[in-house]
């Protein structure tokens, strides 16, 4: 089993290697706990049922467990292609992801963020830089690795043109008026070079100062038990909120086709796209009204 995982890991990203290490750690602990060796042909429906219970006892969240199981199933499937012996029941476990607590920002909230005036002189410039960069993300649907590395060369004839880092494809997004103003504000040299950990830390500070304190209640399963918590909205905002907000607001305009938005976000199926964006009854009503996304 480890040999198959290592073959897969060598061809994947650094993040995959981290997940691989976590999976192998748990499989090794499971093997030691139950005094058994795990091979490709021992990954059965019964094994996965027991392994899920073990992972729940490790107090892992449901979606983390789902991710582990799906990767194990994928690797066993690949092992079969390598002519390893496998048990066909491994694929009979069908787990579903829970909806996450990810939030999105409406166009009204993005406007509020964009026009907010920071009062304290100390760190005002630093806050403005983080805020402006975040707003660009909220209006382009780019990942942080892409919107944090934009230069004046990426602003071409009213469009943001970028070769994406993760998927290595060229995207072309109409530049929102706010994006144009931000490029002009910095003479094309928009804020960059901020590590994502620093960015996320101070982004929350900024969102709290702006007053995005609506209460958000959500539930998730951890350790096999349902947990319900309430947080203020600023606590749930991160660099990735920008991309999710852009995708959701583009959809809410009612003027853009789903497949067109998916070309920007990189989602391959509409099912995954609709699970990614965030819609409420109020949002749907706004969609019907047909607000313009690429305008003030």
């Amino acid at each position: 089993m480890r040999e198959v995982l290592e073959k897969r890991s060598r061809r994947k990203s650094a993040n995959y290697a981290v997940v691989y290490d976590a999976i192998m750690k748990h499989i090794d602990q499971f093997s030691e706990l139950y005094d058994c060796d795990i091979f490709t042909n021992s990954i059965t429906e019964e094994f996965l049922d027991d392994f899920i219970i073990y992972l729940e006892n490790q107090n892992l969240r449901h979606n983390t467990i789902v991710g582990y199981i799906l990767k194990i199933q994928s690797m066993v499937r690949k092992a079969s292609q390598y002519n390893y012996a496998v048990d066909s029941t491994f694929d009979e476990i069908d787990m579903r992801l829970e909806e996450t607590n990810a939030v999105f920002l409406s166009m009204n909230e993005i406007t509020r963020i964009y026009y907010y005036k920071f009062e304290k002189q100390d760190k005002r410039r630093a806050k403005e830089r983080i805020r402006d960069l975040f707003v660009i993300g909220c209006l382009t649907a780019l990942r942080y690795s892409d919107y944090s590395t934009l230069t004046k060369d990426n602003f071409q004839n009213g469009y943001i043109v970028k070769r994406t880092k993760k998927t290595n494809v060229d995207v072309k997004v109409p530049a929102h008026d706010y994006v144009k103003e931000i490029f002009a504000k910095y003479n094309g040299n928009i804020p960059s070079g901020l590590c994502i950990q620093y960015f996320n830390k101070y982004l929350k500070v900024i969102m709290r100062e702006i007053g995005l304190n609506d209460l958000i209640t959500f539930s998730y399963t951890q350790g096999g038990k349902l947990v319900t918590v309430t947080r203020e909205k600023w606590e749930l905002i991160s660099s990735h909120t920008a991309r999710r907000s852009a995708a959701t607001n583009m959809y809410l305009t009612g003027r853009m086709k789903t497949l067109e938005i998916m070309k920007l976000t990189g989602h391959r199926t509409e099912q995954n796209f609709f699970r990614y964006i965030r819609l409420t009854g109020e949002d749907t009503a706004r969609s019907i009204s047909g607000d313009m996304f690429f305008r003030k």
Side-chain angles (χ1 to χ4, degrees), residues 2-201:
R2 182 179 293 275
E3 182 180 355
V4 177
L5 286 168
E6 288 175 345
K7 284 182 179 180
R8 295 281 282 173
S9 180
R10 284 195 294 268
R11 294 197 301 272
K12 298 290 183 177
S13 65
N15 181 65
Y16 185 92
V18 172
V19 176
Y20 151 77
D21 287 339
I23 292 174
M24 285 311 308
K25 176 182 177 182
H26 286 298
I27 287 179
D28 288 343
Q29 290 178 347
F30 179 91
S31 301
E32 183 177 350
L33 180 64
Y34 292 101
D35 191 24
C36 61
D37 294 322
I38 307 301
F39 301 98
T40 54
N41 63 349
S42 60
I43 306 296
T44 64
E45 178 184 15
E46 182 178 2
F47 163 79
L48 290 177
D49 279 334
D50 291 340
F51 192 56
I52 290 168
I53 294 173
Y54 158 81
L55 293 174
E56 289 178 343
N57 290 336
Q58 302 304 304
N59 204 37
L60 295 182
R61 287 197 178 190
H62 174 81
N63 283 1
T64 300
I65 296 173
V66 173
Y68 286 174
I69 298 303
L70 290 176
K71 284 181 173 59
I72 290 174
Q73 289 175 323
S74 174
M75 289 182 286
V76 174
R77 205 172 292 118
K78 181 61 67 172
S80 177
Q81 297 176 14
Y82 290 149
N83 295 320
Y84 287 85
V86 302
D87 187 295
S88 61
T89 63
F90 80 91
D91 229 3
E92 294 179 12
I93 296 292
D94 185 18
M95 299 185 72
R96 303 290 179 176
L97 290 169
E98 292 180 326
E99 185 172 296
T100 67
N101 62 311
V103 297
F104 90 99
L105 298 167
S106 69
M107 287 304 299
N108 285 339
E109 288 174 315
I110 294 169
T111 297
R112 177 180 168 189
I113 293 167
Y114 180 64
Y115 284 111
Y116 182 80
K117 301 296 183 182
F118 296 101
E119 296 181 357
K120 295 183 178 180
Q121 293 296 322
D122 61 316
K123 297 186 178 180
R124 185 176 69 179
R125 179 172 172 76
K127 289 180 179 179
E128 283 187 358
R129 288 167 58 84
I130 292 173
R131 184 270 310 280
D132 291 345
L133 184 58
F134 180 68
V135 168
I136 289 177
C138 287
L139 299 171
T140 59
L142 294 172
R143 294 180 177 85
Y144 181 77
S145 59
D146 295 320
Y147 73 77
S148 66
T149 55
L150 291 173
T151 69
K152 57 185 176 183
D153 294 333
N154 297 118
F155 184 42
Q156 303 174 13
N157 300 317
Y159 290 87
I160 300 299
V161 180
K162 179 72 172 178
R163 170 69 61 91
T164 60
K165 182 176 180 180
K166 182 176 181 179
T167 56
N168 198 36
V169 297
D170 293 320
V171 296
K172 187 175 183 179
V173 186
H176 187 283
D177 289 343
Y178 295 164
V179 174
K180 295 175 184 177
E181 291 172 2
I182 292 171
F183 267 83
K185 176 180 178 179
Y186 294 95
N187 294 317
N189 300 310
I190 64 171
S192 62
L194 302 174
C195 75
I196 193 168
Q197 291 83 3
Y198 176 91
F199 182 88
N200 282 327
K201 177 181 178 181

Side-chain angles (χ1 to χ4, degrees), residues 255-268:
R255 304 292 182 91
M256 302 179 67
K257 295 179 181 178
T258 303
L259 293 179
E260 291 174 338
I261 305 172
M262 288 169 58
K263 286 183 179 180
L264 298 179
T265 62
H267 290 97
R268 296 182 178 179

Side-chain angles (χ1 to χ4, degrees), residues 206-251:
I206 292 168
M207 295 300 110
R208 180 173 57 184
E209 179 178 335
I210 293 174
L212 295 179
N213 52 14
D214 293 346
L215 295 180
I216 307 293
T217 299
F218 56 94
S219 299
Y220 58 87
T221 303
Q222 182 170 7
K225 298 178 181 179
L226 186 66
V227 179
T228 300
V229 296
T230 299
R231 296 283 186 271
E232 292 189 356
K233 191 168 189 175
W234 63 265
E235 297 180 84
L236 306 177
I237 295 175
S238 69
S239 59
H240 195 70
T241 305
R243 176 171 156 83
R244 191 183 299 275
S245 298
T248 303
N249 285 314
M250 287 178 184
Y251 178 78

